[in-house]
Amino acid sequence: MVSGSRYRPVVAIEVSGLLTSHANGPDGNPLFPNNVVAEVEFSEQRWPRTLVEPEWDERGRSIKAYCFNRPGVEWVKAMVARGYEVVWSSVWLEHVDTYFGARLGLPRFENVYDPSMAAMTSDADAHIAPLARRYPGRPILLTLDDPAPEGGGALGLARHPRDRSISMVTAFPWFATAMPEDLAEMTQWLEMTTTLEGQRELARLRQHHKRRGRDHMRAMRARVLHGEEHPWMDVGRRPTEEDRLAASSGLSADQIVTYNVITEVLRQGLGGRIDEWFVIDLLRNRDIIGAVKRSVDRAKKSAVERSDDDQQSSDD
């Protein structure tokens, strides 16, 4: 069975990100091209236990406007037409076809999401574990609306080593949606999994990226811990506390760049309430909300201390 389906990929999809987004402009129109706004009417009797309930009217209804992503919908239909096995991996459980699939003209798909896994581990695992268990030896592409902790390779880590190069996770954040270039990349990856030569190339690329990652980490640790130079850090720059923490935490260069970008965006939004220890908190705990709260709390404490000092000076 496995050998016969080794070249027929499984496409597991979540609603948000690929098919819908919450990104409306001030006028209520979608921010992204080829999106259309439409209302979905939900029923209190048909609401998934995995999601927080909205406010219901006297008839047990709730209506919400969604941005539907036309390219994402057409992409799913195209994957079905290619003969790939498409399944839901959705927190909407058995209601996903009722509220979204039928409205979008999609055929009825099985939903393989396991909500019990989310209670025991994490939401990403609730998507990943059933797929890894259900489809051994087959290529799997999973779309999520929130990145898995291990990134695009998260699914592969839950599978047999021989299946890791034919495992892919693509995440679209809640405030955005799948763009045509994202869909083209996923299509190309899926096409590669349908032939022996393509799968061999994916395995080669995975080994290449693993070697590059190890080389980056060795270079970073050498530079940070021993003062030796390596190509991706500014020559002559003294290692900071942030650098040392990143090296000791085993983070890759790409992860550090990501955290730095997050930091800069939050600095622009929060201004002086983000202090120099914010990045260190983020690298240590990998918890954006917690790091922001700690940084803001420190700023408030410093403001109170300065106010007390000013009051004491005026009293003197």
Side-chain angles (χ1 to χ4, degrees):
M1 176 181 172
V2 170
S3 59
S5 56
R6 178 77 179 179
Y7 304 106
R8 185 190 177 212
V10 176
V11 182
I13 58 175
E14 179 57 281
V15 173
S16 184
L18 178 64
L19 303 179
T20 71
S21 75
H22 302 286
N24 295 337
D27 57 358
N29 292 319
L31 294 177
F32 301 102
N34 298 315
N35 276 224
V36 60
V37 176
E39 291 184 338
V40 180
E41 181 179 310
F42 300 106
S43 168
E44 188 175 6
Q45 285 70 42
R46 296 192 301 275
W47 184 261
R49 66 187 183 280
T50 50
L51 297 174
V52 177
E53 292 193 36
E55 292 186 6
W56 306 105
D57 64 16
E58 65 279 0
R59 296 171 57 188
R61 299 179 310 166
S62 178
I63 298 176
K64 181 177 180 180
Y66 279 84
C67 283
F68 288 98
N69 183 25
R70 285 173 173 165
V73 175
E74 294 307 314
W75 181 83
V76 173
K77 293 178 180 178
M79 297 305 103
V80 174
R82 285 170 178 251
Y84 301 161
E85 182 173 353
V86 180
V87 296
W88 293 111
S89 179
S90 177
V91 295
W92 287 91
L93 304 182
E94 68 271 21
H95 308 295
V96 64
D97 279 306
T98 302
Y99 292 134
F100 298 102
R103 167 182 285 272
L104 299 173
L106 298 175
R108 183 171 290 274
F109 303 134
E110 183 178 3
N111 194 349
V112 300
Y113 177 81
D114 184 355
S116 65
M117 290 295 301
M120 293 185 294
T121 52
S122 69
D123 185 61
D125 290 322
H127 292 276
I128 288 170
L131 291 168
R133 183 173 60 248
R134 188 183 183 95
Y135 301 106
R138 293 185 63 182
I140 305 175
L141 184 148
L142 169 64
T143 75
L144 296 177
D145 57 352
D146 193 47
E150 295 83 10
L155 175 60
L157 297 178
R159 307 184 73 195
H160 191 282
R162 67 170 174 267
D163 297 335
R164 289 176 180 170
S165 60
I166 53 171
S167 308
M168 180 179 180
V169 177
T170 301
F172 306 104
W174 63 269
F175 52 82
T177 192
M179 302 299 283
E181 54 267 28
D182 302 315
L183 302 173
E185 288 179 6
M186 294 192 297
T187 301
Q188 182 181 30
W189 185 88
L190 286 166
E191 287 175 345
M192 292 183 71
T193 69
T194 63
T195 67
L196 174 60
E197 295 75 14
Q199 291 194 11
R200 285 175 173 170
E201 177 63 10
L202 289 173
R204 186 193 69 78
L205 289 172
R206 183 174 185 275
Q207 290 301 318
H208 172 71
H209 289 307
K210 283 178 63 178
R211 284 194 296 272
R212 284 193 61 189
R214 287 193 295 265
D215 291 343
H216 275 303
M217 184 54 61
R218 291 193 193 100
M220 183 177 73
R221 285 177 171 163
R223 171 69 174 87
V224 173
L225 302 178
H226 306 293
E228 298 175 10
E229 302 296 343
H230 58 79
W232 66 271
M233 287 184 70
D234 295 336
V235 176
R237 182 170 72 81
R238 293 177 61 81
T240 65
E241 180 63 24
E242 174 190 331
D243 295 330
R244 297 186 190 282
L245 180 62
S248 62
S249 300
L251 296 175
S252 69
D254 289 341
Q255 286 174 306
I256 294 172
V257 169
T258 300
Y259 287 132
N260 287 339
V261 169
I262 292 172
T263 304
E264 184 56 34
V265 170
L266 290 172
R267 273 205 184 96
Q268 292 175 9
L270 294 174
R273 285 176 290 175
I274 293 292
D275 60 26
E276 67 274 11
W277 287 100
F278 168 74
V279 180
I280 295 176
D281 276 343
L282 188 56
L283 289 170
R284 179 183 291 116
N285 300 293
R286 309 189 190 191
D287 170 16
I288 298 173
I289 296 175
V292 171
K293 184 179 184 301
R294 285 187 292 273
S295 185
V296 172
D297 287 345
R298 283 193 295 269
K300 290 179 179 178
K301 181 179 178 182
S302 298
V304 170
E305 290 174 349
R306 285 195 300 271
S307 176
D308 291 343
D309 290 342
D310 292 342
Q311 181 65 40
Q312 184 176 356
S313 298
S314 63
D315 292 342
D316 294 342

